[in-house]
Amino acid sequence: MNLHNASWVRQEMVLASARPVGQNGPLEWMRKNLFDGWLSTLLTVASVTAIAWLAMAVAPWLGNSIWKANSLAECRQLLNGAPGACWGVIRDRWPQLLFGFYPAQLYWRPVLAFALLFAALAPVLFRALPSRALWFSAVYPGIACWLIWGGSLWFPVAVYLGFAVAAGLFASTARISQGLAVSVASLGAALWWIYALRPFSSGVSAVVPIALEAVPSREIGGFLLSIIIGVTGIAMSLPLGVLLALGRRSSLPLIQMLSVVFIEFIRGVPLITLLFTASLLLNYFLPPGTNFDLVLRVVIMVTLFASAYMAEVIRGGLAGLPRGQYEAAEALGLDYWKAQRLIILPQALKISIPGIVNTFVGLFKDTTLVMFIGLLDPIALAAAIRANTEWQGIYWELFIFIAAVFFIFCFGMSRYSMYLERRLKTDHR
């Protein structure tokens, strides 16, 4: 029998039929998502009622906003007893909320550093840009430090040359022994930094003609301070967290013990305690006359704090990988570091993306805790503005503005994490 001539053998694919008319449209969507049962209907009605009540309560206050006023008394005079928001405080004090007491004539420097931040992050966050752009991402921290704090350009250049010295020494001695190469590279970089940065410890600020007006850290505040601490902590805590996670899973007892002690100690101590340690106690362990910048101390403590939490997040990703991935790396003949770099860590980090971004968001919001050690973050500046006689008694407008700015940064991080998860979701392709 010829199967090709049989009537029950289909010769072509059936085209997809259109969806039934009754299952299309907004009414069907509302039935499935908002009124699918008595409990869903009850929750929908309660939610709509709450949103409507909140909108009716807040709309008159927002709709009757005053933007052009130089004091709270002037706002109240313009409102004439009616409820309304006095956004004049934001219009009057926004430079202070953004930059703290940074010199007004030098605002262009942190603005330029913030603009260059996006140029430095773009090649890291988005795959479409060429890999050569990562060189700018590598040198950006030195440029930003020089722009914000000023001083001689030689300082960041000398720091980067120390890393170049370490790389050269490591490459020249790596053939003999990996351990010897790390030791020689670390010693060489340390000696270079001691020699090259010695003029700065003696008070010499302009070693080369290219220098900017120096700005002390006590004048840096507002969202500029929060971004400095947050971005630095985020950028440094991820690689340190990876090393701590690998150390905790190491088969070497000493490395494992040190990693466990560090992680458990940091996770068991509140961040505010570490900040007070950085502010008050750290100088007692330094040589007399040492001037260790307070912002740098805070950045170090925040980075160490975030690294401990990051290590546990990444350790969870490493534990989530099946044993076959490690056996596959061994079967390919890869050594430990190549296996981690090419096979293990890419998969573990992909699994850990939600936890990593959650730690980043928490770290950025925790930068407001620096107000307790005397640094002028946005919350501390809001308190200072409210203590001024012109704006004494204002409350909601300042904190709504601060919350909105923090929300923009945190929401942006969460949306990027969702984009990254979609881009890396290769298991069902």
Side-chain angles (χ1 to χ4, degrees), residues 109-167:
R109 285 163 45 179
V111 170
L112 178 59
F114 184 71
L116 293 177
L117 173 63
F118 291 98
L121 289 177
V124 179
L125 301 180
F126 302 103
R127 189 171 49 183
L129 296 176
S131 58
R132 293 190 300 271
L134 290 172
W135 284 105
F136 179 75
S137 303
V139 301
Y140 169 77
I143 297 174
C145 178
W146 179 58
L147 285 173
I148 294 173
W149 276 275
S152 173
L153 183 60
W154 172 248
F155 184 85
V157 171
V159 172
Y160 279 108
L161 287 177
F163 289 109
V165 169

